[in-house]
Amino acid sequence: MLQYETKIDAKQLKGKDFLTLLDFSSDEIFYLLELASKMKKEQKDGKISNVLQGRSLGMIFENASTRTRVSFEVGMTQLGGHALFLSPRDLQIGRGEPISDTAQVLSRYVDAIMVRTNSHEKVEELAKYSTVPVINALTDFYHPCQALADLLTIYEHKGSFQGNKLVYVGDGNNVAHSLVIAAAKVGMDIAVATPVGYEMNSDIIEKAQEVAKTTGATILITNDPIEAVSDADIIYTDVWASMGFESEQKEREEAFGPFQVNHSLVSYAKSDYIFLHCLPAHRGEEVTAEIIDDSKHSVIYDEAENRLHVQKAILASVIK
Ligand code: CP
Ligand code: NVA
């Protein structure tokens, strides 16, 4: 269990969209983490839950997924509900039906909609027209479910957020954006090192900095991976070419070389650092096999498992 006092009424999240952690207060984030931790323990203890009995989740995937799809689907089942996998190949949306109609029609059938797409605007449009909560399962801008699972993993392994330095090395992408917001919300120091030309979105950095002012977190943005990794408690990286950017793979490999998480780079971190990666990983690119497969530091499978627990907490909280 987390050692944070949360002062929120559980009902206040009912009906709320989960598009970015910016829309959630620090207390609401601590509440979700606490609930995820409780649900994780209950599942391990073999307790059966039926909080979402008779409820359905529509899952629209415009992009591939292993963890997100399986954890949402299993999560609904474990809570007594049901999930439908909806591929745009099969939906009329793939043949040009407007998002607004899709949102309003799906809202008449399902109790929440989860969506993965390259366009954050599409998710916002879906949420605008939907009368049931919409959950962002990754866009070009954000990956909030991942960041929540990352927070839970960090808390489990480090015992607190404050006093820890989280370092993200690599592409200034969706995962980096959500991570910097998550760290700011919980008051954890974060350093982000990206190559020149692959920095995070400046509006998102500004928003995270505003949040950090209220929680005491510090945010260091640099193009120097060694500066970022110095004294790191947690090192995080992600693929160099995200979904939708595969055609840039070759040019990215050149720019990102010095940002590889390898033995030499982690030597600047604290000796008890932990390594996180949202997965899928490309061994030999953003991280070497010796680092990601070193179970003394790497907690990637705990992190992947925590996707299930935090998403159950989100589903149980937002579905009416
Ligand atoms: N980390 C993550 O979102 O993985 P998938 O793409 O497999 O869902
Ligand atoms: N940044 C990666 C994350 C995959 C889970 C992507 O968008 O492809």
Side-chain angles (χ1 to χ4, degrees), residues 13 15-20 23-24 127-128 130 132-135 318:
L13 295 178
K16 200 169 155 80
D17 296 318
F18 190 82
L19 304 192
T20 157
D23 300 336
F24 289 78
K128 181 177 164 196
S130 168
V132 297
V134 171
I135 299 170
V318 302

Side-chain angles (χ1 to χ4, degrees), residues 42-244:
E42 285 175 357
Q43 192 226 330
K44 304 262 176 213
D45 291 345
K47 286 200 185 134
I48 307 288
S49 170
N50 62 356
V51 292
L52 294 183
Q53 192 170 19
R55 307 302 169 89
S56 299
L57 172 73
M59 307 190 299
I60 305 175
F61 279 98
E62 286 195 348
N63 284 327
S65 167
T66 296
R67 282 143 288 271
T68 307
R69 175 183 174 177
V70 177
S71 54
F72 264 108
E73 193 162 333
V74 169
M76 278 303 284
T77 304
Q78 288 184 0
L79 297 176
H82 174 69
L84 299 89
F85 175 71
L86 304 168
S87 153
R89 246 201 342 257
D90 309 318
L91 291 175
Q92 295 290 8
I93 212 169
R95 294 178 57 247
E97 183 168 15
I99 291 175
S100 52
D101 282 352
T102 306
Q104 291 177 83
V105 171
L106 287 181
S107 298
R108 302 288 179 109
Y109 303 135
V110 299
D111 301 284
I113 301 168
M114 184 237 78
V115 57
R116 168 171 286 196
T117 165
N118 273 344
S119 157
H120 194 69
E121 280 172 12
K122 270 195 205 170
V123 176
E124 285 177 337
E125 195 181 352
L126 195 75
K128 181 177 164 196
Y129 289 101
S130 168
T131 56
V132 297
V134 171
I135 299 170
N136 175 0
L138 181 148
T139 63
D140 49 346
F141 268 40
Y142 300 112
H143 198 0
C145 297
Q146 181 67 54
L148 204 59
D150 300 337
L151 288 181
L152 182 60
T153 313
I154 290 167
Y155 192 87
E156 287 174 344
H157 285 273
K158 291 289 176 189
S160 70
F161 296 120
Q162 273 149 9
N164 278 303
K165 180 182 178 187
L166 166 61
V167 178
Y168 176 92
V169 186
D171 189 19
N173 62 15
N174 43 13
V175 168
H177 290 153
S178 285
L179 207 58
V180 78
I181 295 163
K185 287 276 181 184
V186 300
M188 178 164 48
D189 296 338
I190 182 164
V192 177
T194 62
V196 173
Y198 296 95
E199 287 89 357
M200 292 186 289
N201 176 289
S202 55
D203 288 346
I204 294 175
I205 297 176
E206 259 177 50
K207 285 179 186 151
Q209 278 164 340
E210 285 301 310
V211 175
K213 274 188 212 150
T214 68
T215 63
T218 61
I219 301 176
L220 170 75
I221 310 286
T222 175
N223 299 117
D224 178 354
I226 293 174
E227 181 192 11
V229 169
S230 294
D231 289 327
D233 296 285
I234 304 120
I235 304 178
Y236 198 122
T237 191
D238 186 15
V239 290
W240 290 341
S242 283
M243 289 180 275

Side-chain angles (χ1 to χ4, degrees), residues 283-302:
R283 287 166 176 77
E285 291 184 27
E286 74 274 8
V287 60
T288 57
E290 62 173 357
I291 297 298
I292 195 170
D293 296 325
D294 173 6
S295 58
K296 225 173 108 226
H297 297 281
S298 178
V299 295
I300 53 169
Y301 302 120
D302 291 345

